[in-house]
Amino acid sequence: MSFSSAVLAEIRQRIPDNRVFDDPVSTLAFGTDASFYRLIPRVVVRVQDEGEVVDLLALAGKHRVPVTFRAAGTSLSGQAISDSILIVLGDQWNGHEVRDSGRQIRLQPGVIGAQANAWLAPRGYKIGPDPASINACKIGGIVANNASGMCCGTAQNSYHTLAGIRLVLVDGAVVDTEDAASVSAFRNSHGELLAALKKLAINIRNNRELADRIRHKYRLKNTTGLSLNALVDFTDPLEILTHLMVGSEGTLGFVSAVTYNTVPEYPDKATALLVFRDVESCCRAASVLKAQPVAAVELLDRRSLRSVQDKPGLPEWIRGLSEDACALLVESRAPGSDVLDEHLVRIREALAGFPLEQQVDFTRDARVSGQLWAIRKGTFPAVGAVRPNGTTVIIEDVTFPIAQLAEGVTRLQQLFVKHGYNDAIIFGHALEGNLHFVFSQGFGDPAEVARYEAFMADVAQMVAVEFGGSLKAEHGTGRNMAPFVELEWGHDAWQLMWQIKRLLDPDTLLNPDVVLSEAPRIHLKNLKPLPEADPLVDKCIECGFCEPVCPSEGLTLSPRQRIVVWRDIQARRRASEDTRELEKAWQYQGLDTCAATGLCAQRCPVGINTGDLVRKLRSEKASGQAVANQLARHFSAALKATRFVLASASGVERLLGAPLLTRLSAGVRKVSGGRVAQWDPSMPQPVRFVTPVPGSADDRRPRVVYLPACVSRTMGPARGDKAQDSLMAVTRRLLEKGGYQVVFPETIDSLCCGQPFASKGYPEQAAGKKDELIGALLRASRNGVDPVYCDTSPCTLQIREAAAEAGLALFDPVKFIREHLLERLAFEPEQTPLAVHVTCSTQHLGEAEGLIDIARRCSTKVVVPEGIHCCGFAGDKGFNVPELNAHALRTLPEQTAGCAEGISTSRTCEIGLSRHSGLDYHGLVYLVDRVTSSRAAL
């Protein structure tokens, strides 16, 4: 039965409407993963607990409607998309339990891999799998794909480090291998299933040829097909079942929780880049290193080195390498420095007979090591950044027996030439014979599709048949390699996989055509269009790495999804289709709820800032040029008006009381259609601004020019805040305590960094105010002689480049305290718990760790809430689109429970943080001023 309105109606009966999406924007947005396929789901359901998964599977079974599970959607082979029911993990799948001092960890499938490692790091452990997408991918996907990575190899993947698992089968049965009662009940209820699996395992072990083939295949890195090694590695049918689930890509069941045996994260590391004269010697060296104490050995061919040779910080000699050069990036890790010394002696001795063309010898310098790893990590983005618009970037993932690795590299390079893939590069995990090759590919032309088809047929024949390798080493089979599973494994093994599939999913409802498919050209269907949309975002590869840091992800759209929708709108416009309904929804979901803070650019492999696109589109829609000009010219008057409004609200609060004013304000906002901001007790009182009086000309203290942001000059503490001094007053007091003479620019109340204008789509007015400010700062600082202190990190970020070009030494609060006040102040830390919010701008300024370090000098108990990368207040979004701020901070109250205060470096962010945590959030200087005394006075 196909999807119908009756199915949708039943879903809505079981799941709240706010977690069921069938509108064109949402379904289009979830129609993509990191692969080059697109399927538009009929409905997207965000599930919050296991019971909802069970209910949806019952519904799917009743109506014979397929379902697909999705975690982060970073899959590369098309396994996280659906044209039916797409089940997406909601917020409540982030549970974890660290056990045995970090030697084990229990995780729910919604936990991001990097977060699991963050919980383990203080104990000296990490999870085994280390995929390149670990900062974005989730545990559900890591297990379902049996993802590995650069250091993981085969011994530390999910299959081999699995300690326990909780599963939901297609019939709704739940089994938790760590719960004896659950196991006993399952053995009773599903005895026939377990008996069938046991019989399959016995048959395989009795088939010596097939059993040996299975063992051989899994000595290599291999995720092609189902995990048949479970049938030869285990005799207990429940163990067979649980290990079959690993790497099954959601085709056999749902992983509700997993327990890993963790691996040590050694603190001492040394990294080297060794360039050999040719592929042959490079691969022979990799084979030698397999027996040495190395954690990672990454191969880079000449084309991959060339793709990154112009990146800053890389050795100049990379440009002059010979055409046949091939490199190994080698890292050794150890529990101590002495052991690492021993490792390096052994590695150097093993490689002594290999002549090198160039090298960066083993270094323990974290900065140099980071630069070397940037070479490896920059290769994939390098191809993505230079590909022709309208094409996608494909990363394939194969394994050769390591003894044949050199021949494999050469043969791949020959196929690139044969099929005209002149931009293709090769890199990979040499210890395992696992190579990635990356190339750009268009699918808009049938001839291009035919070229890709012929190329992949040649690759499959060479890797799987001639070399006996794996067509998918760690990226999962997906749709991409499903037609080639039989070619790689042979007919008997392929039929065995189908037997397993039909035992566990008899109606083929779970992720059909993924891993196993009877459609020989499924890999050429539903190819994703990547139409040109705007030069700012055309290089997007839709990988999803941006999503964890986006405050609107899960509320409306993520950066990836914004680009997906905008591309579709642009393509429809070019086709003269009516896009009015789509654009109406896009206005709110795409533009109004984007914080435009640019954190997505930090995570994007090709550096795309989706906020730049949003600001550009806002600018095109902006219709208040005359008003913006008036505000820019009369900025001081605008600030006075703002103070008047705040004073009026404060007066009404004193008259009516906070509860009544909150209710009245909510009513006014509703009547106004959301155009009037709602008042609540976190709203600031006005600053009683007085133009600063110039200091004495005889003052011999070192000077600092203090630039109070416009928000600091207008918005004081909330009426209920325990700290009632303004940020200006506290900052001046702290700077003077540190021995500085505080100087202010002239006409300070008319100055602005331009950020309010830029965020609203008025770039000309923003540029004008910025230029005016830079001029005033130059005069106040005696043409850059004196440092400039800006009290709000967003404003600092806004003028950073212009200030540097003008020769100004500009500091945000964190950097100034670090570099100029720490040595002048004596700290007496408090014992009360303190919450720290690292603003987006502080992250962009590179001062996140500096802020946390200063906080730890001030308090013995510092809490940095997890998963809150941006508060979503975004200037005035917290007033005008308060649901964005609420969504971004939805986990804040629980995480800051027990804290006495919060600190940040942005006054507007602090309003939202206070509103949603129930704490008073202040600028960093409040805390530093409170816990310090002047060293000069001691």
Side-chain angles (χ1 to χ4, degrees):
M1 184 184 295
S2 61
F3 190 90
S4 66
S5 58
V7 175
L8 180 60
E10 280 199 46
I11 291 174
R12 292 193 181 279
Q13 288 174 6
R14 300 165 188 245
I15 309 293
D17 278 349
N18 64 348
R19 293 193 278 112
V20 179
F21 310 93
D22 67 334
D23 62 283
V25 169
S26 297
T27 52
L28 173 63
F30 278 102
T32 188
D33 60 7
S35 74
F36 49 94
Y37 299 100
R38 172 184 285 177
L39 286 174
I40 306 300
R42 296 296 299 275
V43 65
V44 179
V45 185
R46 196 179 297 276
V47 293
Q48 294 287 50
D49 59 47
E50 187 177 81
E52 292 182 347
V53 175
V54 171
D55 284 348
L56 289 171
L57 288 174
L59 182 152
K62 172 184 173 183
H63 293 279
R64 298 295 187 269
V65 176
V67 299
T68 294
F69 307 113
R70 178 183 175 117
T74 56
S75 303
L76 291 162
S77 302
Q79 58 266 62
I81 52 176
S82 170
D83 57 3
S84 183
I85 301 174
L86 184 66
I87 297 176
V88 178
L89 298 178
D91 290 338
Q92 303 305 312
W93 294 93
N94 290 311
H96 78 283
E97 179 189 356
V98 178
R99 301 174 178 172
D100 193 15
S101 301
R103 293 176 180 82
Q104 279 192 349
I105 187 168
R106 176 85 159 178
L107 299 163
Q108 286 190 297
V111 173
I112 292 174
Q115 182 60 65
N117 284 340
W119 290 323
L120 291 166
R123 299 165 174 87
Y125 291 91
K126 63 179 180 178
I127 61 172
D130 61 338
S133 58
I134 197 164
N135 288 324
C137 67
K138 295 180 178 178
I139 294 300
I142 291 174
V143 175
N145 291 294
N146 199 19
S148 47
M150 286 179 264
C151 300
C152 171
T154 54
Q156 297 180 353
N157 62 21
S158 293
Y159 181 95
H160 287 291
T161 58
L162 184 70
I165 198 166
R166 185 177 175 92
L167 304 174
V168 181
L169 299 186
V170 72
D171 63 359
V174 177
V175 59
D176 188 336
T177 63
E178 296 187 338
D179 182 336
S182 172
V183 169
S184 177
F186 185 79
R187 290 189 189 276
N188 288 331
S189 64
H190 286 69
E192 289 186 12
L193 169 65
L194 295 175
L197 289 174
K198 185 172 184 177
K199 184 177 179 180
L200 283 179
I202 292 171
N203 291 342
I204 294 304
R205 285 194 292 274
N206 289 335
N207 183 338
R208 178 71 61 84
E209 182 180 353
L210 183 53
D212 287 347
R213 179 164 180 75
I214 291 170
R215 292 187 182 97
H216 164 74
K217 293 289 289 181
Y218 287 103
R219 291 188 189 101
L220 307 175
K221 252 191 182 184
N222 180 21
T223 60
T224 306
L226 297 177
S227 299
L228 294 184
N229 47 339
L231 296 168
V232 297
D233 290 343
F234 301 98
T235 57
D236 181 343
L238 187 57
E239 287 277 18
I240 293 171
L241 172 63
T242 57
H243 285 82
L244 280 170
M245 285 291 167
V246 178
S248 65
E249 302 176 34
T251 63
L252 302 182
F254 175 78
V255 176
S256 185
V258 63
T259 301
Y260 278 115
N261 290 318
T262 61
V263 300
E265 173 66 303
Y266 292 131
D268 287 85
K269 305 174 185 180
T271 313
L273 180 66
L274 311 175
V275 183
F276 300 83
R277 294 173 179 174
D278 52 46
V279 170
E280 175 68 28
S281 59
C282 186
C283 293
R284 281 194 295 109
S287 182
V288 167
L289 286 171
K290 192 167 179 65
Q292 301 306 318
V294 290
V297 178
E298 294 293 295
L299 180 145
L300 300 103
D301 75 347
R302 181 65 186 96
R303 284 184 176 186
S304 65
L305 291 168
R306 187 179 293 113
S307 73
V308 295
Q309 65 187 17
D310 295 324
K311 299 291 183 183
L314 301 186
E316 287 289 329
W317 48 254
I318 288 182
R319 294 181 179 83
L321 292 175
S322 65
E323 284 303 305
D324 295 327
C326 190
L328 294 179
L329 178 64
V330 183
E331 184 161 286
S332 183
R333 302 176 181 179
S337 180
D338 291 345
V339 177
L340 184 59
D341 288 339
E342 295 172 7
H343 286 183
L344 297 185
V345 169
R346 287 178 56 187
I347 294 168
R348 289 186 175 111
E349 287 177 351
L351 295 177
F354 291 89
L356 298 176
E357 183 170 326
Q358 285 285 358
Q359 72 168 323
V360 176
D361 200 5
F362 282 98
T363 176
R364 304 182 197 211
D365 186 317
R367 182 187 62 82
V368 177
S369 177
Q371 290 174 342
L372 296 180
W373 277 106
I375 297 175
R376 163 63 178 85
K377 294 175 181 178
T379 49
F380 175 47
V383 175
V386 300
R387 76 188 195 278
N389 288 345
T391 66
T392 189
V393 59
I394 294 178
I395 178 168
E396 289 296 353
D397 168 43
V398 300
T399 303
F400 294 99
I402 192 166
Q404 298 170 281
L405 184 59
E407 186 182 354
V409 172
T410 302
R411 290 284 300 280
L412 276 176
Q413 291 172 335
Q414 290 170 354
L415 286 182
F416 297 156
V417 174
K418 174 182 175 180
H419 294 280
Y421 290 104
N422 300 318
D423 64 345
I425 64 172
I426 297 174
F427 57 87
H429 318 315
L431 288 181
E432 307 297 331
N434 177 197
L435 297 179
H436 302 310
F437 52 100
V438 180
F439 55 97
S440 58
Q441 173 70 52
F443 289 120
D445 180 351
E448 279 292 291
V449 177
R451 177 172 73 130
Y452 174 73
E453 181 180 15
F455 174 61
M456 289 309 299
D458 280 355
V459 168
Q461 181 68 27
M462 179 189 70
V463 174
V465 179
E466 295 181 40
F467 284 84
S470 307
L471 289 170
K472 282 294 179 182
E474 56 184 6
H475 293 170
T477 308
R479 301 168 191 283
N480 182 214
M481 285 298 169
F484 302 102
V485 174
E486 184 178 10
L487 177 71
E488 175 174 331
W489 274 97
H491 183 73
D492 289 350
W494 188 61
Q495 285 298 325
L496 176 60
M497 292 179 192
W498 273 111
Q499 283 183 267
I500 294 167
K501 172 71 171 172
R502 288 168 183 140
L503 273 174
L504 289 161
D505 181 21
D507 296 314
T508 318
L509 299 179
L510 300 180
N511 223 1
D513 283 327
V514 167
V515 181
L516 297 174
S517 178
E518 293 178 325
R521 303 183 81 242
I522 192 67
H523 65 304
L524 302 174
K525 296 180 179 180
N526 303 301
L527 298 169
K528 182 197 297 181
L530 287 176
E532 292 185 79
D534 189 285
L536 291 170
V537 297
D538 281 338
K539 298 305 180 185
C540 174
I541 55 181
E542 299 184 6
C543 65
F545 286 11
C546 54
E547 293 186 339
V549 297
C550 176
S552 63
E553 195 278 327
L555 173 69
T556 52
L557 299 176
S558 70
R560 164 169 63 175
Q561 292 173 329
R562 285 187 169 87
I563 294 171
V564 167
V565 175
W566 187 242
R567 279 173 164 163
D568 192 68
I569 290 172
Q570 293 299 90
R572 291 175 184 272
R573 283 179 176 177
R574 286 193 292 270
S576 300
E577 296 182 24
D578 187 347
T579 62
R580 284 176 294 182
E581 286 301 311
L582 197 58
E583 291 193 58
K584 182 179 179 181
W586 160 257
Q587 177 63 43
Y588 175 75
Q589 296 194 55
L591 299 183
D592 293 349
T593 53
C594 178
T597 58
L599 286 185
C600 48
Q602 292 188 353
R603 295 293 185 93
C604 176
V606 292
I608 291 171
N609 184 343
T610 314
D612 289 342
L613 172 66
V614 168
R615 280 186 288 271
K616 178 180 177 180
L617 297 179
R618 287 174 182 167
S619 177
E620 292 173 358
K621 289 175 173 284
S623 57
Q625 293 291 338
V627 174
N629 286 332
Q630 286 295 318
L631 286 173
R633 282 195 293 266
H634 305 287
F635 197 72
S636 178
L639 295 189
K640 289 177 182 176
T642 302
R643 294 186 194 108
F644 176 77
V645 171
L646 292 174
S648 300
S650 186
V652 174
E653 178 191 8
R654 285 192 294 272
L655 182 64
L656 300 181
L660 179 56
L661 179 56
T662 301
R663 291 195 297 272
L664 289 173
S665 175
V668 172
R669 178 170 175 79
K670 185 175 181 180
V671 170
S672 72
R675 288 187 292 272
V676 176
Q678 181 173 338
W679 184 94
D680 67 40
S682 67
M683 292 289 275
Q685 300 174 100
V687 169
R688 292 179 175 82
F689 180 78
V690 177
T691 301
V693 177
S696 168
D698 297 330
D699 196 327
R700 292 292 177 259
R701 293 175 297 174
R703 289 164 42 110
V704 59
V705 176
Y706 174 23
L707 170 62
C710 55
V711 67
S712 309
R713 305 195 302 268
T714 55
M715 297 184 182
R719 187 162 177 262
D721 197 323
K722 299 180 185 67
Q724 285 295 303
D725 288 344
S726 70
L727 178 59
M728 281 185 68
V730 175
T731 299
R732 184 168 190 170
R733 186 166 66 228
L734 179 64
L735 293 173
E736 290 178 341
K737 183 193 297 184
Y740 282 92
Q741 176 191 174
V742 180
V743 178
F744 292 87
E746 296 177 355
T747 63
I748 181 63
D749 212 28
S750 66
L751 300 179
C752 173
C753 69
Q755 177 68 20
F757 297 94
S759 65
K760 292 296 184 185
Y762 298 101
E764 292 182 8
Q765 292 83 353
K769 294 305 292 183
K770 184 188 293 185
D771 290 344
E772 178 187 1
L773 174 59
I774 294 298
L777 293 176
L778 281 170
R779 292 189 294 273
S781 67
R782 300 179 293 182
N783 286 320
V785 171
D786 305 316
V788 176
Y789 175 101
C790 181
D791 64 7
T792 304
S793 56
C795 300
T796 311
L797 180 64
Q798 177 71 8
I799 64 171
R800 177 176 58 173
E801 291 183 8
E805 290 173 3
L808 291 168
L810 179 68
F811 295 84
D812 77 316
V814 178
K815 187 176 182 181
F816 193 85
I817 291 170
R818 278 199 308 106
E819 296 188 6
H820 293 285
L821 292 185
L822 288 183
E823 62 186 19
R824 294 169 172 261
L825 300 173
F827 286 75
E828 185 65 37
E830 298 177 337
Q831 305 300 311
T832 51
L834 173 74
V836 176
H837 176 70
V838 182
T839 66
C840 307
S841 46
T842 299
Q843 295 174 61
H844 284 303
L845 291 167
E847 293 294 340
E849 291 303 318
L851 172 61
I852 295 168
D853 176 68
I854 293 170
R856 287 175 174 151
R857 290 172 180 263
C858 298
S859 172
T860 58
K861 300 175 183 178
V862 171
V863 175
V864 183
E866 299 165 356
I868 300 177
H869 302 275
C870 170
C871 72
F873 207 94
D876 63 356
K877 289 288 183 191
F879 300 129
N880 300 327
V881 191
E883 63 270 28
L884 176 61
N885 185 224
H887 178 76
L889 298 181
R890 62 195 181 279
T891 65
L892 185 65
E894 181 180 354
Q895 295 197 68
T896 57
C899 292
E901 179 187 16
I903 63 160
S904 179
T905 54
S906 168
R907 181 67 191 98
T908 50
C909 294
E910 289 149 19
I911 295 170
L913 292 161
S914 298
R915 175 186 298 166
H916 294 290
S917 68
L919 301 176
D920 291 333
Y921 268 80
H922 304 123
L924 172 64
V925 294
Y926 283 80
L927 176 66
V928 175
D929 181 57
R930 193 170 66 239
V931 304
T932 59
S933 57
S934 171
R935 288 189 182 275
L938 297 179

